[in-house]
Amino acid sequence: MIAKLTGLLDDFGPDWAVIDVAGVGYLVHASAKTLGAMGLRGDRVTVHTELQVSENDMRLIGFSSGDERAWFRLLTGVQGVGSKMALAVLSALSVEDLQRACAGGDAAMVARAQGVGPKLASRIVNEL
């Protein structure tokens, strides 16, 4: 398991970054909020990570904090929420906003995330 990476931000795109750790470039998928917090190419960055392995893919997901990673794990535990959907929620809402939405039963706030409809937003709020 790769729990954390510290290195230089080598490249980035709309939902990914390459982090150079001692000459090895790790492709890390991340939320827009995490990517925005990383800075500019060449900056030293630290990301908490989650390695997801499926039959035909291995994907490293990066987070700006351990709390964000914990909420990603909670979100992906909800039926119908995969890693891309969880990242969409974390791109639209901060961890604090997501906590408030779930505590207050505010499915409309969760539905602001791209691709999250009212039914899925209700399921997320009810289960979490």
Side-chain angles (χ1 to χ4, degrees):
M1 172 64 102
I2 300 171
K4 182 174 80 167
L5 293 174
T6 298
L8 300 178
L9 180 58
D10 189 54
D11 198 8
F12 58 90
D15 63 350
W16 57 271
V18 175
I19 300 173
D20 183 317
V21 180
V24 177
Y26 290 90
L27 176 64
V28 179
H29 298 272
S31 72
K33 290 187 184 302
T34 295
L35 290 168
M38 283 188 187
L40 304 172
R41 284 182 181 89
D43 286 352
R44 187 166 179 80
V45 297
T46 297
V47 291
H48 300 264
T49 59
E50 177 81 11
L51 179 63
Q52 290 195 326
V53 179
S54 66
E55 285 182 22
N56 54 2
D57 190 26
M58 287 178 47
R59 181 178 286 245
L60 195 58
I61 317 248
F63 309 95
S64 59
S65 69
D67 285 342
E68 187 181 20
R69 180 177 54 197
W71 273 93
F72 174 84
R73 290 174 178 165
L74 288 171
L75 286 165
T76 56
V78 175
Q79 181 184 351
V81 179
S83 61
K84 289 182 181 180
M85 187 68 64
L87 286 177
V89 171
L90 292 170
S91 290
L93 301 172
S94 68
V95 168
E96 294 79 18
D97 289 341
L98 184 55
Q99 287 173 328
R100 273 193 296 277
C102 290
D106 190 354
M109 181 178 259
V110 176
R112 293 189 332 203
Q114 184 176 358
V116 177
K119 284 185 180 180
L120 183 56
S122 291
R123 186 179 313 131
I124 290 170
V125 168
N126 290 335
E127 289 188 26
L128 300 181

